[in-house]
Amino acid sequence: MAVKPAGLLTPLDVMRDAAVIPVIVLDDVAQAVPLARALVGGGIRMLEVTLRTPAALACIEAIAAEVPAAVPGAGTVRSAADARAAAAAGARFAVSPGYTPAIGQACGELGLPLLPGVSTGSEILQAQEGGFTELKFFPAVPAGGVAMLKALAGPFHDIRFCPTGGITAANAPEFLALPNVACVGGSWLTPADAVKAGDWERITRLAREAAALR
Ligand code: 3PG
């Protein structure tokens, strides 16, 4: 299915494209395009490139320019300035480890779908006040995992979560089985040693297995 053009993509589109959003850390811009192609080859198009390395923005830019089938997004967005830099580099969505009204407002102005991070009821209420109902549940396993998501489903029946943090190929199915979970996020699709070695076949295999989780 074709990805919606920029400006029309919603947070739910980002969450529903595949069972897993890979959380990507890249040190070298030369790795960005082959990595993106490897993930797309396995059926994963929404790619969260975390703003944790000096190369991150250049990586987003390279993927946006050279891998048309990929939808690069920015992770670890911690400020409005991060959101603006990510959008300027070509990010099509943003993921943040927490929520602030400033980040929410900046993403709104930029037309950048945002999955803000939450782990408590108060944080969910704040994100909801900002107009956000599709949220990253972070850090998913340390913050209570499946039991916490089941508990949150009562008062927050209208919220959809992307649990991230401690999710693996082994425990992903029990998260994905929850009605309030739209997808999961995780770094297991892009092991640091495989990225470093340029083992793109392994990454395609991991992506294919992840895509098959739903
Ligand atoms: C992160 O932001 O680092 C993500 O939560 C990834 O967590 P993981 O490495 O446990 O998948």
Side-chain angles (χ1 to χ4, degrees):
M1 200 176 31
V3 178
K4 286 183 189 169
L8 295 181
L9 198 68
T10 67
L12 210 51
D13 293 329
V14 174
M15 282 179 152
R16 287 197 170 148
D17 202 60
V20 184
I21 299 177
V23 175
I24 300 166
V25 180
L26 283 169
D27 291 308
D28 181 355
V29 69
Q31 296 161 336
V33 167
L35 175 69
R37 288 193 179 126
L39 290 165
V40 168
I44 303 285
R45 303 188 291 187
M46 301 288 159
L47 312 184
E48 178 189 336
V49 179
T50 57
L51 302 184
R52 293 183 200 178
T53 60
L57 289 170
C59 289
I60 291 170
E61 211 171 332
I63 295 167
E66 294 180 48
V67 192
V71 181
T76 321
V77 170
R78 302 196 310 175
S79 65
D82 280 350
R84 285 192 284 271
R92 302 271 312 273
F93 66 91
V95 184
S96 57
Y99 172 76
T100 70
I103 293 174
Q105 194 179 331
C107 288
E109 287 166 7
L110 293 159
L112 202 57
L114 169 69
L115 304 178
V118 297
S119 62
T120 67
S122 297
E123 291 165 6
I124 294 169
L125 291 173
Q126 282 165 2
Q128 219 175 0
E129 277 179 15
F132 295 89
T133 51
E134 282 80 38
L135 309 176
K136 165 173 163 162
F137 176 53
F138 175 77
V141 171
V146 166
M148 180 67 164
L149 284 159
K150 281 185 180 164
L152 292 171
F156 299 111
H157 59 89
D158 50 347
I159 301 290
R160 293 290 162 270
F161 294 99
C162 170
T164 306
I167 310 293
T168 64
N171 66 10
E174 51 182 320
F175 283 91
L176 290 164
L178 300 173
N180 59 345
V181 167
C183 68
V184 299
S187 62
W188 85 90
L189 275 63
T190 55
D193 60 334
V195 174
K196 193 161 175 238
D199 189 351
W200 311 125
E201 278 176 27
R202 180 175 163 207
I203 287 172
T204 295
R205 198 164 58 244
L206 288 166
R208 198 174 292 127
E209 286 164 10
L213 287 171
R214 188 166 66 202

